[in-house]
Amino acid sequence: MQEDSPVRHSERDFRLLDALDSEEITSQRQLAECSGMSLGKVNFLLKSFLEKGLVKIGNFKKSPHKIGYAYLLTPKGIETKSRLAVRFVISKLKEYNLLRQRLAEKLFPLEDSGHERFVFVGPQIVRDCLISLIKDKSLNMYIVGRCESLEALADFDNDNFDAVLIFDENAGDIQAFSEKAGISPERLIKLW
C-alpha cells in the first residue's frame, strides 16, 4: 500500500476526520450532518479513508438486542487528522498575517494625512485586528466606534470622528452613500 501524503488531503478531509474523532458516528447520514457535507461526498471520502487505513468499522452494542457499527479513526487516521489540523492552523495564521499587512498598508497613509479618530464599519473581529495593529505599529489613531453597516453611521455624531474605515463587501456606491449620509466621500475609506 502506498504511503499517504498530507498534501493529498483537504480541509473537507479534516472536517470529516474531526467529526469522526469528536463523536460516536454510527451512520454515514449522521457523519454528513456532523461534517456539513453531502451524503454522497461522505460516502466517497469514507470509502477512500477505509482504503487508506485512516478509518475502520467497529462493532458496538447499542442495546442488549442489537449490534451496530461505528466508524472509528485508526492511529493512522488520528495522525493524519493532527497533521491536517497543524496545516490548517498555519494556513489561517498566514491569512491573518496577510490581512494585517494589507490593513497596515492602508493605515500608514491615513496617519500621514493627519486622521486620528475613526469609526469602523465591519465585523468586530476585524475591528479588534485593527486595534491590535494600531497598537503594535504605534500609530497615532483611535477607533472611536464601530457599526455593522454604513446605514448605522447615522447613530454617530460627525464631529466625533475624522473618517470612516469601511470593511464591508456590501458597501456599494460610496458616492451615493456620501450624499445620503451627509458625510464627504473623502471621509469614507474602503479598507478592502
Side-chain angles (χ1 to χ4, degrees), residues 15-144:
R15 285 194 337 243
L16 197 66
L17 292 170
D18 189 48
L20 286 167
D21 197 30
S22 301
E23 294 186 37
E24 186 175 87
I25 303 292
T26 59
S27 73
Q28 290 185 19
R29 186 169 308 283
Q30 181 186 9
L31 186 53
E33 290 171 8
C34 291
S35 65
M37 289 186 234
S38 72
L39 187 56
K41 181 61 75 178
V42 165
N43 181 278
F44 174 79
L45 288 173
L46 204 48
K47 284 180 184 177
S48 170
F49 290 170
L50 285 164
E51 288 173 9
K52 292 177 182 178
L54 303 178
V55 173
K56 67 180 179 180
I57 299 174
N59 289 332
F60 75 100
K61 292 186 178 189
K62 276 182 130 177
S63 72
H65 307 294
K66 194 172 168 184
I67 293 181
Y69 297 94
Y71 294 98
L72 307 168
L73 286 183
T74 64
K76 184 177 178 182
I78 292 169
E79 180 184 335
T80 299
K81 177 194 165 219
S82 297
R83 281 185 289 155
L84 287 171
V86 168
R87 198 169 79 197
F88 178 73
V89 168
I90 289 171
S91 168
K92 293 303 172 190
L93 286 172
K94 285 179 182 177
E95 287 179 29
Y96 174 76
N97 286 329
L98 179 62
L99 170 68
R100 283 179 56 93
Q101 179 183 342
R102 289 181 74 183
L103 289 174
E105 290 169 2
K106 292 283 192 166
L107 292 178
F108 292 142
L110 294 175
E111 183 184 41
D112 293 342
S113 69
H115 294 305
E116 291 182 7
R117 299 168 299 141
F118 297 91
V119 171
F120 175 72
V121 178
Q124 179 75 29
I125 194 164
V126 177
R127 182 197 74 95
D128 294 346
C129 180
L130 279 171
I131 289 172
S132 169
L133 187 59
I134 288 167
K135 182 180 177 190
D136 291 349
K137 301 293 183 184
S138 300
L139 300 174
N140 188 30
M141 318 179 136
Y142 309 94
I143 306 292
V144 297

